Amino acid sequence: MAKRDRLSGNEAVAIALRQINPDVFPAFPITPSTEIPQYFASFAANGEVDTEFIPVESEHSSMSAAIGASAAGARALTATSSCGLAYMWEELYIAASNRLPLALALVNRALSGPININCDHSDSMGARDSGWIQMYAENNQEAYDNMVQAFCISEHKDVRLPIMICQDGFITSHAVENIELLEDEEVRGFVGEYEPENYLLNPECPMAVGPYSVTDYYMEAKRNQAEGMRNVERVVLETAEKFAKLSGRKYGLFESYCMEDADRAVVMIGSAAGTTKDAVDKLREKGEKVGLIKIRLFRPFPADAIADALKNVKAVAIMDRAEGYTNHGGPLGADVMSALFRARSSALAVNIIYGLGGRDVRVEDMEQVFADLQAVIDTGDTGETYQYMGLRE
């Protein structure tokens, strides 16, 4: 039976981890993710979990310890934000290339410089091509639900890749919302015990780990990673279907909101989707055909499914909470526009950079985006396809 509670996103994720009861949790604090290991440390101190909680001296060490634990056959994870993720950079590639099923609770925060502790997606977007699965949440409920599903995806025999569960710093991590929690027994039954058929440091199957890979083998190793990533979409949907039966909450690769007859759409990631839904609702009351695609799974990128969801729109705004420094827009813009091109879509598309460093996004801002899309349809001219929203002039 579901239990209603009022929790911050950080506390909700920590409770999900308590219910999962992982084997090893190394951690080093960094704002705004610090509360996740802080809450979990109290669970460990109170005997509510069997987890080996390890305070380490840096984020590099926390990921290294998680990698070592996972290689030894343990269910492992850590948590971080921003520069902490950047400090883990080389270890991210090691975790993925070794096909280690571990998790990272990432609370999105701007990367320096200039120094900023508020939300944008520059940290996780910088790691988007490291070989990790990436899932994003709009709100606290989704942060909790994604964490409950994380290990089922990461540990699946057809995947065996590390997974990043992302939520927006302060906006969801520290804000308190009403959410529904599953019972402890339900979560542990859903996730199950981790009993890998094999693992890198299995003493019964000795092998060299981390050797130099000469030219003859490196490409095959990368193709092997890609094979696991090809299976992720299917496993995410299978896991979501099982979770829906348990919780009544349905998830997909992305959420389509009022897209059935939409001629204008916004595509975005994270908490600003809630603001955009309010804008959609207001405009729908006026008879305007507008809609939203909210990305849940960003890596691997579900290009075909997204292009299909946008097949009937006339104009689309792709919203990036991170710069790509390509002079063409951000990472999400590049992926969505590529998907539209491959699908031979006729939709007119613009890419908008917004909300960097925690800059506010209002309902009125998103209403203006939809108004601008109507002007694009009316004139047939996108104008500048790479734009900033909310800049101080």
Side-chain angles (χ1 to χ4, degrees):
M1 179 182 295
K3 301 180 293 183
R4 293 188 64 82
D5 208 336
R6 295 175 66 252
L7 300 168
S8 69
N10 278 345
E11 190 170 9
V13 167
I15 288 174
L17 294 174
R18 176 185 62 75
Q19 294 175 319
I20 293 167
N21 192 25
D23 298 312
V24 181
F25 187 166
F28 187 84
I30 183 170
T31 301
S33 67
T34 299
E35 288 182 328
I36 295 175
Q38 177 184 341
Y39 283 123
F40 196 88
S42 68
F43 300 149
N46 294 336
E48 298 178 62
V49 291
D50 301 322
T51 307
E52 186 72 26
F53 183 79
I54 310 172
V56 294
E57 74 278 10
S58 72
E59 293 89 354
H60 189 281
S61 295
S62 67
M63 181 53 66
S64 296
I67 286 171
S70 183
R75 179 176 279 159
L77 78 143
T78 188
T80 197
S81 297
S82 184
C83 303
L85 181 67
Y87 197 15
M88 295 176 177
W89 223 259
E90 65 170 327
E91 300 301 315
L92 298 179
Y93 286 83
I94 291 171
S97 63
N98 282 331
R99 301 292 297 275
L100 297 177
L102 56 89
L104 172 63
L106 181 70
V107 182
N108 287 111
R109 170 190 146 186
L111 274 171
S112 298
I115 295 172
N116 182 287
I117 65 167
N118 297 305
C119 172
D120 67 31
H121 298 156
S122 55
D123 49 5
S124 57
M125 288 298 165
R128 66 189 179 277
D129 297 332
S130 61
W132 281 61
I133 303 163
Q134 288 191 354
M135 295 179 69
Y136 290 80
E138 173 191 338
N139 51 43
N140 303 10
Q141 183 71 66
E142 290 183 9
Y144 170 81
D145 292 345
N146 286 347
M147 195 73 244
V148 170
Q149 296 173 67
F151 284 107
C152 297
I153 298 165
S154 177
E155 294 169 358
H156 193 283
K157 63 182 179 61
D158 295 335
V159 175
R160 291 191 62 82
L161 288 169
I163 187 167
M164 241 176 247
I165 300 299
C166 308
Q167 64 169 313
D168 284 356
F170 293 108
I171 299 171
T172 66
S173 66
H174 286 63
V176 174
E177 293 181 348
N178 292 326
I179 73 169
E180 288 190 354
L181 300 173
L182 297 167
E183 297 286 352
D184 294 356
E185 297 77 12
E186 291 178 317
V187 173
R188 293 188 184 181
F190 178 80
V191 178
E193 293 294 328
Y194 182 45
E195 297 176 352
E197 295 179 16
N198 202 357
Y199 46 94
L200 286 183
L201 301 181
N202 185 348
E204 303 302 320
C205 184
M207 66 180 75
V209 178
Y212 174 66
S213 181
V214 297
T215 307
D216 293 344
Y217 300 102
Y218 186 85
M219 277 188 69
E220 285 72 20
K222 291 301 168 185
R223 178 62 179 81
N224 181 274
Q225 285 180 249
E227 188 65 23
M229 200 62 91
R230 289 185 181 195
N231 296 323
V232 170
E233 288 187 29
R234 169 177 59 83
V235 173
V236 166
L237 293 175
E238 291 173 353
T239 303
E241 184 177 355
K242 295 175 184 176
F243 185 79
K245 292 178 180 177
L246 177 66
S247 67
R249 295 186 289 276
K250 297 181 180 181
Y251 290 97
L253 307 177
F254 54 87
E255 178 186 351
S256 293
Y257 189 77
C258 296
M259 286 297 298
E260 296 80 4
D261 61 345
D263 58 10
R264 288 168 285 159
V266 162
V267 181
M268 68 190 341
I269 291 173
S271 59
T275 304
T276 305
K277 287 176 181 177
D278 288 343
V280 169
D281 291 344
K282 288 182 66 175
L283 294 174
R284 281 277 171 176
E285 290 176 0
K286 299 176 182 178
E288 299 192 34
K289 296 180 179 180
V290 297
L292 165 71
I293 298 289
K294 182 191 73 182
I295 305 295
R296 178 180 182 234
L297 180 70
F298 180 67
R299 281 292 181 270
F301 189 70
D304 292 343
I306 289 171
D308 185 65
L310 293 169
K311 64 184 178 183
N312 294 322
V313 304
K314 297 177 181 178
V316 56
I318 306 138
M319 311 289 293
D320 264 292
R321 205 160 195 162
E323 245 293 4
Y325 297 110
T326 63
N327 292 338
H328 303 294
L332 181 60
D335 283 347
V336 173
M337 287 189 178
S338 175
L340 293 173
F341 176 80
R342 290 168 59 187
R344 300 185 179 182
S345 171
S346 60
L348 299 169
V350 295
N351 189 193
I352 300 174
I353 310 298
Y354 78 101
L356 301 186
R359 182 67 56 90
D360 285 343
V361 182
R362 304 170 302 162
V363 173
E364 294 79 8
D365 296 326
M366 299 313 301
E367 289 182 279
Q368 185 60 51
V369 169
F370 284 114
D372 293 342
L373 288 179
Q374 185 60 57
V376 167
I377 294 172
D378 293 341
T379 63
D381 181 13
T382 59
E384 176 58 63
T385 60
Y386 162 46
Q387 308 170 14
Y388 267 67
M389 183 181 83
L391 278 179
R392 290 165 46 245
E393 296 296 339

